Amino acid sequence: MQALGFDLGWIDIREWWNAMVAFAGPRWAPSFGALVLAGVTYFVIRSVLRRAEKRWAARTETKLDDYAVRALRTTLLLSVVAWALWRLCIIWFLPGEGGQIPRPAEWVVALWLGLVFFPVSKFVAVLLRAVESQVLDRSGGTLDKTALPLINWIVRFLVISLGVILALSHLGVDITPILGGAGVMGLALSLAAKDTLSNLIAGVLLILDRPFQVGDRIELWTAPNETGTWGDVIEIGLRATKVRNPDNLVVVVPNNEIMQRDIINYTMSGEDIRLRIPFSVAYESDLERAKELLVQAASQVKGVQLTPTPFVIVRGFGPSEVNLQLRVWIHEARSRRKISDEITEKALAAFAAEGVEIPYPKRELYIRGTAGPEGVGEVGGGGVGDP
């Protein structure tokens, strides 16, 4: 052994071997017993819970008990493996000062605390989906397609964070500086991304307040020129909302801008809405006949409700016209522009056939005459060069 650079004799090797045997000898049997016990427990738990899942959980209508059995099986099997590792660390590693549990065993417990919350968080997410599908649907309410994944993600994050905090606390790690550093970093990020955060907060408020849903028809404020000023909501995101207008253009509106304006929702209260269509007739026209023609024109258009009956009111007077307003209820809010166009077209034809004059700007000129030397009225004044 001197050729390797150190002096090691057979006596030293034998002493080390004897020390190793003396150290490991009394630990082999407890280790083997712990592994056998953990292995038997592992296979028993897996067999029993698989049989329970097939014979009991699979026969029920809901899938919630299936996920509960799977989560319980994963948690128990993980606990059995963690117990076996913990027991081996207790057996093979020397205890700390005052007979404390060895540090590797503490690491195993901390690792178990962190991992066991993953199947728990998955089951909580499944539970939330089950609540939404079985309870809210039966009661007539629904969660938005964006709100439910957001809630699930937040809840799973909180559950996993709880496991990490418990694991660090078990190891004696002070999490106060970590939380303080996270707070300072969060403040810096919030200042750097103020607009993005305001849109995110507005998106959460939209999801909670629900002024509109996917599929609703709302009014647009920033539509491109010469395009439709309304559209159907196709996606409600955390940062922005996407609306498709009648020209098949998708307008992406930041959520913060939506929350600062009046939201006009045409379909939130149902498909039935009332239209107010303005008309004008000349002062010389038969007002009652004009009202009858407007009601008849509206009654001939498909989609107009006959109950309540359409009616016309006088809104006011203009320089050369009487302002009327036709009020009708329609069955489908999405067809309001089409129905309004058809009513206006039929009313124009009816006015032309019945002689109801549609006013246009008129100006009447009155010329006042002046008496001349012979008492003859002269018009206006003279031309150029007249005395």
Side-chain angles (χ1 to χ4, degrees):
M1 294 298 179
Q2 294 180 355
L4 298 177
F6 54 91
D7 188 9
L8 181 62
W10 290 108
I11 298 177
D12 297 330
I13 295 176
R14 186 171 57 185
E15 290 179 354
W16 286 357
W17 175 257
N18 292 335
M20 185 182 301
V21 171
F23 176 79
R27 292 174 170 83
W28 285 114
S31 299
F32 181 75
L35 291 176
V36 171
L37 179 59
V40 172
T41 305
Y42 185 93
F43 287 106
V44 169
I45 291 176
R46 188 176 67 171
S47 177
V48 170
L49 291 181
R50 279 186 175 180
R51 187 169 302 178
E53 182 181 357
K54 292 180 180 179
R55 294 187 177 182
W56 172 59
R59 294 181 180 179
T60 58
E61 297 181 358
T62 177
K63 293 293 184 181
L64 185 60
D65 49 1
D66 298 343
Y67 289 109
V69 172
R70 294 174 190 174
L72 179 62
R73 183 178 62 198
T74 303
T75 303
L76 291 179
L77 294 180
L78 181 62
S79 301
V80 170
V81 174
W83 178 86
L85 294 176
W86 177 81
R87 186 59 186 165
L88 291 177
C89 291
I90 293 293
I91 295 173
W92 286 92
F93 290 93
L94 297 176
E97 297 181 0
Q100 296 179 354
I101 297 177
R103 193 64 175 174
E106 297 289 347
W107 295 342
V108 172
V109 175
L111 182 62
W112 172 78
L113 286 174
L115 294 178
V116 79
F117 278 86
F118 280 90
V120 174
S121 66
K122 185 177 180 180
F123 174 71
V124 170
V126 173
L127 181 62
L128 290 176
R129 286 195 294 268
V131 170
E132 193 271 343
S133 60
Q134 296 184 12
V135 178
L136 295 180
D137 285 348
R138 292 177 182 177
S139 63
T142 56
L143 280 180
D144 191 82
K145 295 180 180 179
T146 307
L148 185 60
L150 174 63
I151 295 174
N152 286 345
W153 184 86
I154 293 176
V155 172
R156 293 192 65 179
F157 176 78
L158 293 177
V159 173
I160 295 174
S161 300
L162 177 61
V164 174
I165 292 174
L166 291 177
L168 293 177
S169 300
H170 185 77
L171 293 176
V173 178
D174 187 9
I175 63 174
T176 303
I178 298 177
L179 295 178
V184 174
M185 183 178 297
L187 179 60
L189 291 177
S190 63
L191 293 176
K194 180 178 64 174
D195 295 336
T196 302
L197 287 177
S198 63
N199 286 323
L200 291 177
I201 295 174
V204 173
L205 294 177
L206 281 176
I207 293 173
L208 296 178
D209 191 42
R210 302 176 64 80
F212 52 79
Q213 304 178 24
V214 174
D216 284 354
R217 177 158 293 185
I218 65 173
E219 191 75 18
L220 291 171
W221 310 279
T222 58
N225 294 331
E226 305 300 330
T227 62
T229 60
W230 48 269
D232 298 328
V233 179
I234 60 175
E235 181 181 340
I236 304 175
L238 291 179
R239 192 197 65 84
T241 297
K242 297 180 181 178
V243 182
R244 178 182 284 113
N245 74 352
D247 298 323
N248 201 29
L249 301 177
V250 177
V251 182
V252 181
V253 186
N255 291 330
N256 188 32
E257 181 177 343
I258 294 178
M259 294 300 293
Q260 294 178 357
R261 294 177 178 268
D262 295 334
I263 300 175
I264 303 175
N265 193 330
Y266 293 106
T267 56
M268 185 176 185
S269 59
E271 290 296 329
D272 297 351
I273 64 171
R274 187 169 71 174
L275 294 184
R276 298 166 179 252
I277 308 175
F279 293 93
S280 298
V281 296
Y283 283 105
E284 295 81 6
S285 301
D286 186 348
L287 195 60
E288 294 300 324
R289 183 56 180 164
K291 290 183 178 181
E292 293 176 1
L293 293 175
L294 289 177
V295 173
Q296 292 176 6
S299 302
Q300 297 172 2
V301 176
K302 182 180 179 180
V304 174
Q305 296 185 14
L306 301 181
T307 305
T309 307
F311 63 96
V312 182
I313 65 171
V314 178
R315 292 285 294 174
F317 304 99
S320 58
E321 76 277 356
V322 179
N323 296 319
L324 306 178
Q325 187 181 81
L326 172 64
R327 298 183 178 181
V328 296
W329 283 90
I330 63 175
H331 293 288
E332 187 176 354
R334 300 179 186 278
S335 302
R336 63 187 185 90
R337 299 295 177 90
K338 176 176 176 294
I339 293 176
S340 177
D341 176 70
E342 292 183 9
I343 292 176
T344 303
E345 183 178 353
K346 289 183 178 296
L348 179 62
F351 282 177
E354 295 291 332
V356 177
E357 182 181 356
I358 298 177
Y360 54 87
K362 297 179 180 179
R363 180 166 299 177
E364 296 183 0
L365 180 62
Y366 294 93
I367 302 176
R368 180 177 298 175
T370 59
E374 287 108 14
V376 180
E378 297 181 359
V379 179
V384 178
D386 288 341

